[in-house]
Amino acid sequence: MKVWEENIRKVIPYIPGEQPKQKDIIKLNTNENPYPPAPGVRKALIRFSEMDYDWLRKYPDPTSDVLVESLANYYHLKKDQVFAGVGSDDVLAMAFLTFFNSQKPILFPDITYSFYDVWADLFQIPYERQPLDERFRIVPSDYYKKNGGIIFPNPNAPTGILMPLDEIEDIIRHNQDVIVIIDEAYIDFGGISALPLIEKYDNVLIVQTFSKSRSMAGMRVGYAMGNKTLIKYLNDVKYSFNSYTMNQTALAAAPAALEDEAYFQGTRKKIMETRERVKEELRELGFSFEDSMANFLFVTHENYWARDIFEALKRSGIYVRYFNQPRIDNHLRISIGTDEEMDQLIAFLKTYLK
């Protein structure tokens, strides 16, 4: 190691799902929505593209005011209860930097979104992973201990398991002296949001995204909701880091996604119906899994090794996600695609598992 390397911040990075370049594949590995954004988003982008080219030389609104107002109206909140950022990853990273500033370890599940320990390492935040039970469920009592903050997804990833609101509130009740962050990236696929709890508890932050249920992963739009004090602190850190986090295009398109409720509900319904159908077909093929309330399934097969299935699927142009880590190295996470895509997945598995 060279001398100048000694003081470089080193971290093992998050590994995102593979983004293959070829077009003729079935991509079920990154939990993207298989349907396009609401038609109003396309219209908003066309209007934006037809604006004076000179517009792009100007910085975007640092307050993201139009988007924040749209979100506040949609969720019946005040504007000072909403924070917007470049995807929920950006929002969560800001939240880690803002709220997890204690010598005590933050707590999160041992099987969960694998960016959490990356941010903790990057920002030098102590942490402890709390083991899920044998059915991959969070054990609320594991979070009663002294800590510097708590974060978990609901539904959890990559398991898709939804935690009931009474158990979430149980964790919050036992941790009113630290910030509790609930990452609701997948809440629109069958769960009930913990958002009402921000009115009851001033230490709760809810984080959601446009990447999944709103079909806008490529646009990078995320947001947090909490009491105005938490949001102020988030904005203070944001303005100390990068005032202009969201680009002009995202700010033009995102509000349009909130306006077409019928389209939003329709695509949600299609994905959930497809998920429930595929659950039955996978069970018939010998797969087992806990009940997912997300837009993916986390499956294992008693007679076939997950890595072998993963590699066979990939050779056939069907991409799913495999995690080579303890406890889950014989599982596959399969995103819910269109009915046609899932039919091709099932057809391949029927042949492969003979």
Side-chain angles (χ1 to χ4, degrees), residues 67-205:
L67 174 57
V68 167
E69 183 172 15
S70 295
L71 287 164
N73 290 338
Y74 186 84
Y75 289 104
H76 308 291
L77 300 172
K78 296 177 181 176
K79 288 170 61 177
D80 59 10
Q81 292 178 286
V82 179
F83 174 89
V86 187
S88 59
D89 285 343
D90 175 61
V91 175
L92 288 166
M94 289 287 180
F96 268 63
L97 194 57
T98 304
F99 301 121
F100 296 158
N101 193 32
S102 166
Q103 297 304 311
K104 299 172 187 174
I106 64 170
L107 307 179
F108 50 81
D110 65 334
I111 300 170
T112 194
Y113 186 32
S114 52
F115 229 139
Y116 295 163
D117 58 349
V118 174
W119 288 317
D121 287 335
L122 178 63
F123 300 136
Q124 299 181 352
I125 300 166
Y127 63 92
E128 291 180 4
R129 299 183 180 96
Q130 306 306 300
L132 301 179
D133 69 15
E134 67 281 356
R135 295 185 61 194
F136 293 147
R137 282 164 168 74
I138 290 173
V139 180
S141 59
D142 288 346
Y143 295 81
Y144 292 177
K145 65 180 76 173
K146 290 292 184 180
N147 63 78
I150 292 172
I151 181 168
F152 55 87
N154 196 46
N156 196 7
T159 65
I161 296 173
L162 182 74
M163 177 183 275
L165 285 181
D166 61 333
E167 293 184 11
I168 292 174
E169 186 166 10
D170 179 58
I171 291 175
I172 296 168
R173 270 200 314 271
H174 284 85
N175 291 280
Q176 295 185 53
D177 57 344
V178 297
I179 303 302
V180 179
I181 301 175
I182 304 165
D183 180 356
E184 293 188 340
Y186 302 101
I187 197 64
D188 291 327
F189 297 109
I192 299 174
S193 175
L195 182 60
L197 296 179
I198 71 171
E199 303 296 344
K200 188 174 181 180
Y201 300 96
D202 62 5
N203 64 319
V204 175
L205 191 75

Side-chain angles (χ1 to χ4, degrees), residues 246-258:
M246 300 194 69
N247 64 53
Q248 300 276 31
T249 312
L251 291 174
L258 296 171

Side-chain angles (χ1 to χ4, degrees), residues 46 52 83 93 105 122 152 168 179 220 272 285 309 325 330 339 343 352-353:
I46 291 172
D52 187 351
F83 174 89
L122 178 63
F152 55 87
I168 292 174
I179 303 302
R220 313 307 300 129
M272 290 188 287
L285 290 172
I309 301 174
Q325 64 187 69
N330 197 28
D339 281 315
D343 287 345
Y352 179 82
L353 299 175

